Amino acid sequence: MIRVLLVDDQPLIRSGFRALLGLEDDIEVVAEAADGEEGLVLVKEHLPDVALIDIQMPVMDGIEATRRIAADPALADVHVVMLTNYGMDEYVFEALRAGAAGFLVKDIVPEDLLHAVRVAARGDALLAPSITRKLIHRYVAQPPPASSAALEELTSREREAVALAAQGLSNGQIADHMVISPMTAKTHINRAMTKLHARDRAQLVVLAYESGLVAPRNG
């Protein structure tokens, strides 16, 4: 059973999401909150698999709540998915830096919401290739100097796998590109995440661009 926490200051959004998620046999909404501070309390109380958290809220915004969740070792298994009104919300990249596994637009179609919750529960990033390119182009057009010390810990194959993941490729696509098995591709990604202290795949993508391992494409 996938346990979900809803954190949004709009009651209509919460009730709509709760009604939709509640129809699924493998998903349970364990609690809901109207601001980040309350959400943080409930995260610690319920330890959900997935926390759907709005970016902009009173008292404590979603980014600060996400940052505190990511910093708490006891909450390491909680996967935060940010909710935004716009696909290119100015705070999206900051949310990924804070530790979010990805983000969803609030007008998402029901099927995509259900898929997203299940993807997040598995620990995968909710970053479609097209969204990844847009985010990187907008927020990391001029990446800071490479953090070579961290990258030097990666093997050449791990670096290659991370670079491909940063372009939005799945493990299966990485495997095809590198001519290895999907399991080996997953191993490369997981080892890179461990070495770079990335909470999840989304943060690995952020690190790949911020370090200069991958450069954003123009256009």
Side-chain angles (χ1 to χ4, degrees):
M1 182 67 71
I2 299 173
R3 305 172 75 253
V4 178
L5 172 70
L6 301 176
V7 186
D8 195 297
D9 63 330
Q10 299 179 52
L12 187 60
I13 293 293
R14 297 200 310 271
S15 61
F17 278 20
R18 174 184 281 275
L20 178 61
L21 296 172
L23 294 174
E24 300 302 301
D25 294 335
D26 62 332
I27 299 175
E28 175 189 9
V29 176
V30 296
E32 57 182 77
D35 61 68
E37 186 174 278
E38 182 185 7
L40 189 59
V41 171
L42 292 176
V43 164
K44 295 177 180 179
E45 178 181 346
H46 294 279
L47 297 178
D49 301 299
V50 178
L52 298 177
I53 302 180
D54 186 22
I55 287 183
Q56 296 176 296
M57 293 182 293
V59 185
M60 180 190 294
D61 64 31
I63 293 175
E64 179 59 26
T66 298
R67 187 176 292 114
R68 296 191 188 190
I69 290 171
D72 189 339
L75 304 178
D77 293 330
V78 177
H79 306 290
V80 175
V81 177
M82 306 301 298
L83 301 173
T84 175
N85 288 314
Y86 306 101
M88 289 307 298
D89 191 293
E90 62 183 285
Y91 300 111
V92 166
F93 196 76
E94 186 179 351
L96 295 178
R97 278 198 179 108
F103 71 96
L104 298 175
V105 180
K106 290 184 181 180
D107 63 0
I108 187 173
V109 299
E111 294 78 9
D112 289 345
L113 171 63
L114 298 174
H115 174 70
V117 167
R118 293 181 176 114
V119 168
R122 293 199 304 265
D124 294 333
L126 294 169
L127 291 174
S130 60
I131 296 298
T132 300
R133 286 193 294 269
K134 288 178 182 178
L135 282 171
I136 297 307
H137 179 73
R138 179 164 177 174
Y139 295 103
V140 204
Q142 295 181 327
S147 177
S148 58
L151 293 179
E152 285 174 359
E153 296 185 25
L154 303 183
T155 67
S156 60
R157 296 296 268 175
E158 289 167 353
R159 287 166 64 98
E160 183 178 359
V162 170
L164 293 171
Q167 295 172 32
L169 273 64
S170 66
N171 287 342
Q173 292 170 322
I174 292 173
D176 290 341
H177 192 281
M178 296 178 65
V179 194
I180 55 179
S181 72
M183 183 57 69
T184 300
K186 182 177 181 179
T187 298
H188 285 326
I189 294 297
N190 288 344
R191 287 178 176 170
M193 287 172 57
T194 298
K195 292 178 179 180
L196 297 178
H197 305 290
R199 178 182 172 90
D200 52 34
R201 198 182 184 97
Q203 283 203 317
L204 189 66
V205 169
V206 171
L207 289 169
Y209 281 93
E210 288 190 328
S211 68
L213 177 61
V214 179
R217 300 173 181 176
N218 294 322

